[in-house]
Amino acid sequence: MNTDVDVAVVGAGLAGIGLGARLRRAGRTGFKILERADDVGGTWRDNVYPGVACDIPSALYSYSFLPQPAWSRVFAPGAEIHQYVRDVARSEGLAPHLRFGTELTGARWNENEAAWHLTTSRGPLTSRVLVTAVGRLSEPRVPEIPGLGTFPGRVFHSVRWDRDLPAGLRVGVVGTGASAVQLVPEVARRAASVVVLQRTPPWVLPRGDRAYAPGEAQPDRAALAEEADRLFDARVAGTAAEAALRERAEAHLRAQVPDPALRAVLTPDYAVGCKRALFSDDWYPTLQQPHVTLEPSAPVAVEGSVLVAASGARYEVDVLVLATGFETTRPPFAHLVTGRGGQTLAEHWADGMTSHASTVVHGFPNLFVLDGPNAGLGHHSALEVIEAQVGYVLGALDHLDADGGPLEVSAEAEAAYTREVDRRAAGTVWLRGGCRSWYVDERSGRLTLLWPGRAAEYRERFAVFDPTPFAPDDCAVGAPRR
Ligand SMILES: Cc1cc2nc3c(=O)[nH]c(=O)nc-3n(C[C@H](O)[C@H](O)[C@H](O)COP(=O)(O)OP(=O)(O)OC[C@H]3O[C@@H](n4cnc5c(N)ncnc54)[C@H](O)[C@@H]3O)c2cc1C
């Protein structure tokens, strides 16, 4: 059947824009990128808290086919990355393909038409292929703290930063993850006082950020990528690499925190990397400033303007910042997508996200999920996997053109991939490191967010589309495969 567009891409972050660029370069023009916001950039458009920056070297944080030749710092500030995404969208001619202010509200596979029927905030749309590029760190997770709704001052999640925040306030920060470690040192520069509520301490490694001198050559991307990828070895539990990484983190803590009592409070009881390892040279020094308090327990209530911690300590604050992370293992978009036989992705993923190649899902023909199940990297740039996924989608489109389709991965292929992921994850710090993290689905205890291997291996296996694991299109969901 004739659809409104050949490919509907949902999301204009790095993944959606990277795919758009490659589609254009391949001469494909029948696509639209639907974005609920009014600009491209995703993560880097939305996170504008003070200190926001990437935490892997900037040189790795651009597409290999569109390198940014002049990052200003070793770890680029968020605004610079946002500008990079904008520049890509402009230089690759994506303007006619972008539909801003257009939120996907539903997508249903129509078997008779072999097409996706989308509903959006701006009306319906049909497409042959649907690609979700909605991100995995885009839906803020807000903790349920009794009384939070009655807090009289400003309260916001780190991804909804209040740009008009005046100086000289008493600020409470809930959380000690990647965003908190970046924003607390900056907030402390302007606040009258800061209290940081820590449920679990993070492991923090030295960062070594600095500005590049004018004209200074950027580091060699390929060499840096190879070096970064070797860090996967430190995520395998019980290895010498893991022990060496722990020694680096402990040395950083010892060097920056002389007081043994404070050091004890800041020492995690789990393996480095089990939760995301953080990079900062000013986190520990900030916590030791006289106007900054580290509260080593989680908030249990808000009473008026008083934040009550599990320890019983009470802190009066003017502003409450929730640096509490994102909905990761149960992505909200999964409720919107209904595949063959009327099953939603959320139902298919009732025990945690699964896929083949981290990109395709049985029962969901002509659907490609970017940056979804087991597509993240705990040790390297997210773009390493996203770029390979983009190549996979391009190959699948060529196959569809030649073969007609639709393309639906077999249940066996998905099960085999899931078994492989589970087997490989079993030996990693993500499952053996003794922590609770957003990488692991609490319903099944499975590692569902990360690819449990080196990025180079993922690229070698999946950057080129292989049609072998795709089933004939006449099989019912759950029916035995031929
Ligand atoms: C603060 C922060 C720092 C990070 N630092 C790093 C780092 O240093 N290195 C690294 O590798 N990764 C980092 N990440 C992870 C980062 O999210 C990824 O690297 C990358 O930006 C993901 O791109 P994306 O396009 O997949 O998703 P996103 O950037 O999240 O983009 C998704 C887009 O989809 C849109 N969207 C969502 N739902 C809908 C809908 N229903 N309809 C229409 N549009 C929709 C959103 O508005 C958004 O624009 C960081 C994340 C955060 C939050």
Side-chain angles (χ1 to χ4, degrees), residues 60 71-73 77 97 106 157 215 222 228 245 261 269-270 288 317 326 331 349 368 375-376 383 387 408 465 469 476:
L60 298 175
W71 293 113
S72 69
R73 307 187 66 84
H97 301 276
H157 189 277
L245 190 64
D269 61 0
Y270 55 85
Q288 294 165 83
V317 293
F326 298 88
W349 288 343
F368 299 87
L383 291 189
E387 185 169 326
E408 180 184 349
F465 178 73

Side-chain angles (χ1 to χ4, degrees), residues 297-380:
S297 71
V300 289
V302 174
E303 294 174 4
S305 56
V306 173
L307 195 50
V308 185
S311 67
R314 300 169 68 84
Y315 302 93
E316 181 148 17
V317 293
D318 306 309
V319 177
L320 202 45
V321 177
L322 305 173
T324 42
F326 298 88
E327 297 293 347
T328 54
T329 52
R330 301 182 198 204
F333 85 91
H335 292 281
L336 305 179
V337 180
T338 305
R340 197 157 57 74
Q343 192 186 42
T344 64
L345 257 184
E347 287 162 354
H348 188 79
W349 288 343
D351 288 332
M353 292 188 289
T354 53
S355 69
H356 168 70
S358 299
T359 312
V360 285
V361 185
H362 174 65
F364 296 82
N366 288 7
L367 171 72
F368 299 87
V369 182
L370 301 188
D371 202 17
N374 297 103
L377 294 173
H379 68 288
H380 203 335

Side-chain angles (χ1 to χ4, degrees), residues 11 13-15 35-36 42-43 45 54-56 61 104 134-135 371 382:
L14 273 162
E35 169 56 57
R36 63 186 173 189
T43 291
R45 175 198 65 226
C54 61
D55 60 8
I56 49 109
Y61 209 65
L104 180 80
V134 294
D371 202 17

